[in-house]
């Protein structure tokens, strides 16, 4: 199994999901090979919940990284979950369109792979806001 998928699966055990019961783990690999992980953290006020992908990228950025190679996402159901729209936009703030996104399909199937550009075409950029 790919070590990035394994890292995403491992961090799921730390997810706080009392409402959805849908743990998600994410692992982002920097261009120099360092890996940062995140899990979803739900809140009774759903809008204050944190998604696994944004927790992982926040940890990487907090530690000075701005160049990313791959992201792996895994849910407890191993259902090929992809980052939601909000997470895709957050990723686009810090990663290029060619960021590889690996989505866990379970032990019997290889992960689905997309680029961030495929998942979020025509993203909102800083230049659009000027």
């Amino acid at each position: 199994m790919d070590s990035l998928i394994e890292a995403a699966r491992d961090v799921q055990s730390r997810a706080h999901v009392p409402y959805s019961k849908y743990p998600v783990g994410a692992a982002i690999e920097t261009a120099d090979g360092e890996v940062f992980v995140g899990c979803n953290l739900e809140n009774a006020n759903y809008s204050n919940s944190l998604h696994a992908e944004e927790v992982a990228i926040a940890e990487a950025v907090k530690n000075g990284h701005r160049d990313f190679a791959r992201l792996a996402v895994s849910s407890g159901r191993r259902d090929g979950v992809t980052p939601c729209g909000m997470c895709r936009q957050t990723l686009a703030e810090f990663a290029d369109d060619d960021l590889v996104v690996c989505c866990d399909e379970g032990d019997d199937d290889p992960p689905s792979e997309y680029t961030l550009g495929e998942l979020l075409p025509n993203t909102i950029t800083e230049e659009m806001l000027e």
Side-chain angles (χ1 to χ4, degrees):
M1 176 186 357
D2 182 290
S3 62
L4 204 61
I5 291 285
E6 194 172 309
R9 284 183 178 184
D10 181 58
V11 73
Q12 283 175 35
S13 65
R14 297 189 290 275
H16 177 73
V17 291
Y19 309 105
S20 72
K21 309 285 190 249
Y22 189 77
V24 176
I28 192 160
E29 182 180 3
T30 66
D32 63 0
E34 198 165 347
V35 174
F36 294 88
V37 297
C39 57
N40 52 334
L41 306 168
E42 294 178 348
N43 187 293
N45 170 359
Y46 288 115
S47 65
N48 290 355
S49 295
L50 300 173
H51 296 194
E53 301 89 335
E54 63 185 343
V55 173
I57 199 155
E59 187 68 18
V61 170
K62 178 186 85 171
N63 282 282
H65 295 276
R66 297 291 177 113
D67 194 12
F68 302 101
R70 297 187 307 150
L71 171 80
V73 183
S74 178
S75 78
R77 295 183 188 162
R78 310 291 191 260
D79 55 3
V81 66
T82 63
C84 73
M86 181 180 74
C87 288
R88 293 174 192 194
Q89 183 63 49
T90 299
L91 289 164
E93 186 74 16
F94 297 99
D96 294 328
D97 283 348
D98 62 352
L99 176 75
V100 175
V101 179
C102 307
C103 303
D104 190 358
E105 299 283 356
D107 293 329
D108 296 330
D109 296 304
S112 296
E113 287 193 3
Y114 309 91
T115 65
L116 182 57
E118 289 174 316
L119 292 173
L120 186 65
N122 305 311
T123 184
I124 298 169
T125 64
E126 181 179 348
E127 293 79 26
M128 295 174 84
L129 301 177
E130 293 176 350

